[in-house]
Amino acid sequence: MASVHKEIIIESSAGEVWEVIRDFGAGPSRMAPGFVVDTRVEEDSRVVTFANGTVARERLVSIDDAARRIVYSIVGDTIRPTHDNASMQVFEQPDGHCRLVWIHDVLPDDLAASLGTAMERGLTVVRRTLASGAADA
């Protein structure tokens, strides 16, 4: 199983960033506007549409407010892994900023490269958006 690990420092407090990350229904659109063009909830999943046309149906696994960690799984649409588990976790930094860690475990292994590239691009937008406070809208 391939594992993709990415992390960034965001110039906002952990609490402010976590408030957006934990929003399963609208979080992707709030944290990465333009990179994510639509997020909607359908039954037990959210459907995330990306600017490049990729669509991911994701099922919530857990939200842990104490650990500031959300876990979800891609279960279909234009991305069809045989196994997928992803987590995003926010850690407070001593300077008042925070660190966002995003881990994606996926099968088949050949999906890791494209997921890693998408995660890098998405995190660039997330850093800019959450540091500027634009996600509050």
Side-chain angles (χ1 to χ4, degrees):
M1 178 177 322
S3 187
V4 184
H5 181 147
K6 306 287 181 185
E7 59 183 82
I8 57 171
I9 299 295
I10 301 173
E11 294 179 356
S12 274
S13 73
E16 291 170 331
V17 170
W18 175 241
E19 187 272 325
V20 176
I21 300 296
R22 77 168 315 283
D23 182 357
F24 184 72
S29 294
R30 293 176 64 200
M31 71 178 92
F35 182 76
V36 172
V37 296
D38 186 50
T39 306
R40 65 185 186 284
V41 175
E42 293 182 356
E43 298 175 12
D44 66 344
S45 301
R46 71 180 175 196
V47 179
V48 182
T49 304
F50 298 88
N52 68 359
T54 300
V55 179
R57 179 173 298 275
E58 301 172 341
R59 183 164 298 134
L60 179 64
V61 175
S62 69
I63 295 176
D64 182 338
D65 286 315
R68 293 188 179 116
R69 182 173 184 260
I70 187 169
V71 180
Y72 63 92
S73 180
I74 297 174
V75 295
D77 227 303
T78 63
I79 304 172
R80 298 192 173 272
T82 57
H83 173 81
D84 180 80
N85 192 71
S87 66
M88 296 180 100
Q89 190 165 7
V90 181
F91 297 92
E92 194 167 334
Q93 298 297 114
D95 61 3
H97 299 156
C98 68
R99 181 170 47 103
L100 174 62
V101 176
W102 190 4
I103 301 170
H104 217 112
D105 298 323
V106 66
L107 285 172
D109 290 351
D110 62 356
L111 288 176
S114 60
L115 281 174
T117 299
M119 290 165 67
E120 286 277 337
R121 290 180 181 152
L123 285 173
T124 298
V125 178
V126 168
R127 178 186 292 123
R128 183 175 54 243
T129 300
L130 297 183
S132 71
D136 295 332

